[in-house]
């Protein structure tokens, strides 16, 4: 197999926590040569270095320790940037300026550099210097206002949606800038934030306000304006059923063995079903709770109606379809043994990531990387003696 598609790119990773590492992982999964530039202090806030979270986020990287509070380390970083293709950082906006490593400073040493910044609230605006965390972005970006039941309070999503999506948008922006560089010969400053990503992910809920003037509320497991589209009980658990449109509804009623639901004027149209949702849901539930989940999943899917079980995480990875998609990447860690990490959800013909390399020990590759970037043994020793490298 030929080299992975991004193998020709060198990425300097100054990120920590989750949004930035998520961005970089999209690049390293497809072969980018990633150098994780770390400070000498505590490890990343994603937890202990040997923990599953850190190992998953930071696999396939090499680690260099530079204390960017020292001018010698900043000078060393600029030498790395002069030969890199991409730099990704998720400091608060003021920090990179204070350290002297903002976009303008690094563009001066490498006009081809694609510089990506991910922050809590963006590089401009009244909140630019605020600290940002996923749950705050979920709250301020509207997600919590539409998550939960009508009678209950707002809820955060069970995964860090703002972190993950800002990382994905950051990676997309980097790839756009790299494509643009092929035409212009120059890099760009790619910017996104947790708040921007979260607002963008509101999708149809956003345009319900922007276009229709409707402020969406919480509907729990019910779709805001479609049914059957939600959670229903089975004899041994719960299932999700989705039937959109009248033709699908006719198939649904036939598969359920409930022609009366099609004939009942309270349920005959989508608008009527939404208006009488409680009665409709109970009528469907009276049927679905009479048989196990596997029965309904097979029956509805055979009829062309989307239906699936609600899997706990262990059952997700036991599912034959998930197994067939190759979403688990094995890695052999020299101390921790065999680890199973999350793979890329992207498929490319003729290319597939191989076994992942474990997350590096802190500063494991400092000498190796600095030599590759043209530092002499004497220069490396001087950096160490000054406390600028480790």
């Amino acid at each position: 197999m030929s080299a992975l598609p991004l193998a020709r790119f060198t990425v300097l990773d100054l990120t920590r926590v989750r949004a930035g590492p998520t961005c970089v992982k999209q690049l390293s999964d497809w072969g980018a040569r990633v150098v994780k530039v770390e400070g000498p202090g505590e490890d990343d806030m994603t937890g202990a270095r040997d923990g599953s979270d850190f190992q998953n986020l930071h696999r396939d990287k090499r680690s260099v320790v530079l204390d960017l509070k020292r001018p010698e380390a900043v000078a060393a970083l600029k030498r790395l940037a002069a030969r890199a293709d991409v730099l990704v950082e998720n400091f608060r906006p003021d920090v990179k300026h204070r350290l002297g490593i903002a976009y303008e400073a690094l563009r001066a040493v490498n006009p081809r550099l694609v510089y990506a910044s991910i922050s809590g609230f963006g590089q401009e605006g009244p909140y630019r210097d605020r600290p940002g965390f996923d749950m705050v972005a979920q709250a301020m970006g509207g997600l919590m206002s539409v998550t939960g039941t009508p009678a209950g309070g707002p809820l955060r999503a069970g995964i860090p949606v703002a972190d993950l999506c800002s990382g994905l948008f950051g990676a997309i922006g980097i790839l756009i800038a790299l494509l643009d560089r092929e035409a212009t010969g120059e890099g760009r400053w790619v910017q996104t934030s947790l708040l921007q990503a979260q607002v963008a992910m509101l999708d149809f809920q956003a345009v319900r306000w922007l276009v229709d003037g409707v402020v969406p509320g919480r509907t729990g497991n019910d779709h805001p304006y479609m049914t059957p589209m939600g959670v229903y009980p089975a004899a041994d658990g719960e299932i999700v059923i989705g039937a959109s449109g009248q033709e699908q509804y006719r198939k649904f009623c036939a598969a359920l063995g409930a022609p009366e639901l099609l004939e009942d004027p309270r349920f005959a149209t989508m608008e009527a079903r939404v208006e009488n949702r409680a009665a409709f849901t109970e009528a469907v539930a009276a049927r679905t709770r009479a048989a196990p989940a596997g029965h309904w999943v097979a029956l509805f899917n055979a009829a062309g109606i989307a239906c699936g079980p609600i899997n706990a995480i262990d059952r997700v990875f036991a599912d034959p379809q998930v197994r067939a998609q190759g979403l688990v990447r094995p890695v052999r860690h020299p101390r921790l043994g065999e680890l199973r990490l999350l793979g890329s959800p992207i498929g490319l013909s003729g290319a597939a990531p191989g076994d992942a390399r474990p997350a590096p020990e802190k500063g494991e590759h400092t000498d190796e990387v600095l030599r590759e970037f043209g530092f002499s043994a004497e220069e490396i020793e001087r950096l160490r003696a000054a406390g600028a490298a480790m």
Side-chain angles (χ1 to χ4, degrees), residues 235-258:
D236 58 351
E238 294 176 307
I239 56 175
V240 170
I241 303 171
S244 60
Q246 282 302 99
E247 181 58 32
Q248 286 255 306
Y249 182 58
R250 282 189 282 271
K251 292 179 180 179
F252 166 80
C253 292
L256 190 63

Side-chain angles (χ1 to χ4, degrees), residues 26-374:
Q26 313 314 307
L27 309 176
S28 62
D29 274 353
W30 292 99
R33 302 186 301 273
V34 176
V35 175
K36 179 172 173 56
V37 180
E38 306 186 61
E42 294 182 0
D43 277 339
D44 192 289
M45 289 176 63
T46 49
R49 203 171 191 96
D50 289 352
S52 58
D53 197 15
F54 189 97
Q55 291 295 317
N56 186 60
L57 281 173
H58 296 288
R59 80 269 182 115
D60 293 321
K61 299 178 182 179
R62 294 185 293 170
S63 170
V64 169
V65 172
L66 294 175
D67 185 354
L68 295 176
K69 294 177 182 178
R70 298 180 180 272
E72 299 91 342
V74 171
L77 179 69
K78 288 181 177 181
R79 285 180 62 177
L80 300 183
R83 295 175 58 174
D85 298 287
V86 177
L87 182 145
V88 188
E89 60 86 15
N90 61 346
F91 299 118
R92 277 189 280 179
D94 62 310
V95 172
K96 57 181 168 288
H97 293 281
R98 191 166 66 244
L99 294 174
I101 58 170
Y103 172 62
E104 296 80 4
L106 297 190
R107 176 177 167 78
V109 300
N110 182 2
R112 290 177 54 81
L113 183 69
V114 172
Y115 187 112
S117 296
I118 303 173
S119 63
F121 295 96
Q123 302 300 309
E124 302 294 340
Y127 305 157
R128 68 185 292 270
D129 293 326
R130 287 187 182 182
F133 284 95
D134 177 82
M135 191 169 177
V136 175
Q138 286 195 35
M140 295 179 65
L143 178 60
M144 290 178 64
S145 77
V146 294
T147 303
T149 62
L155 290 175
R156 69 172 181 86
I159 59 171
V161 176
D163 274 341
L164 299 177
C165 291
S166 60
L168 293 174
F169 286 136
I172 292 169
I174 289 167
L175 296 175
I176 291 170
L178 287 172
L179 286 171
D180 181 65
R181 191 178 74 171
E182 293 182 0
T184 67
E186 295 189 356
R188 288 185 183 270
W189 185 11
V190 176
Q191 304 168 39
T192 192
S193 68
L194 274 63
L195 183 62
Q196 287 170 276
Q198 185 58 81
V199 173
M201 291 301 292
L202 290 176
D203 195 62
F204 75 91
Q205 297 282 42
V207 294
R208 289 180 72 192
W209 162 249
L210 293 172
V211 177
D212 303 328
V214 173
V215 178
R218 294 183 294 277
T219 59
N221 288 321
D222 295 322
H223 192 280
Y225 48 79
M226 284 194 287
T227 191
M229 184 74 72
V231 175
Y232 298 90
D236 58 351
E238 294 176 307
I239 56 175
V240 170
I241 303 171
S244 60
Q246 282 302 99
E247 181 58 32
Q248 286 255 306
Y249 182 58
R250 282 189 282 271
K251 292 179 180 179
F252 166 80
C253 292
L256 190 63
E260 70 277 9
L261 296 183
L262 189 60
E263 298 160 1
D264 191 320
R266 295 176 302 164
F267 312 140
T269 66
M270 182 70 75
E271 292 77 11
R273 292 192 293 279
V274 171
E275 184 176 347
N276 298 285
R277 192 194 297 270
F280 176 74
T281 298
E282 183 48 45
V284 172
R287 295 276 184 157
T288 58
R289 63 168 58 98
H295 168 82
W296 296 116
V297 170
L299 184 71
F300 282 122
N301 278 283
I305 303 298
C307 179
I310 298 176
N311 287 333
I313 303 300
D314 57 342
R315 293 183 65 185
V316 170
F317 288 99
D319 188 285
Q321 185 64 25
V322 174
R323 293 168 69 92
Q325 296 296 322
L327 285 166
V328 175
R329 289 187 69 192
V331 58
R332 169 64 62 176
H333 193 283
R335 289 185 296 99
L336 305 176
E338 187 76 19
L339 303 176
R340 298 196 312 152
L341 306 177
L342 272 176
S344 173
I346 299 169
L348 292 178
S349 61
D355 289 351
R357 289 178 287 115
E361 302 291 357
K362 190 163 191 168
E364 179 181 350
H365 306 97
T366 298
D367 286 13
E368 174 186 311
V369 169
L370 292 178
R371 285 195 301 267
E372 287 181 14
F373 279 77

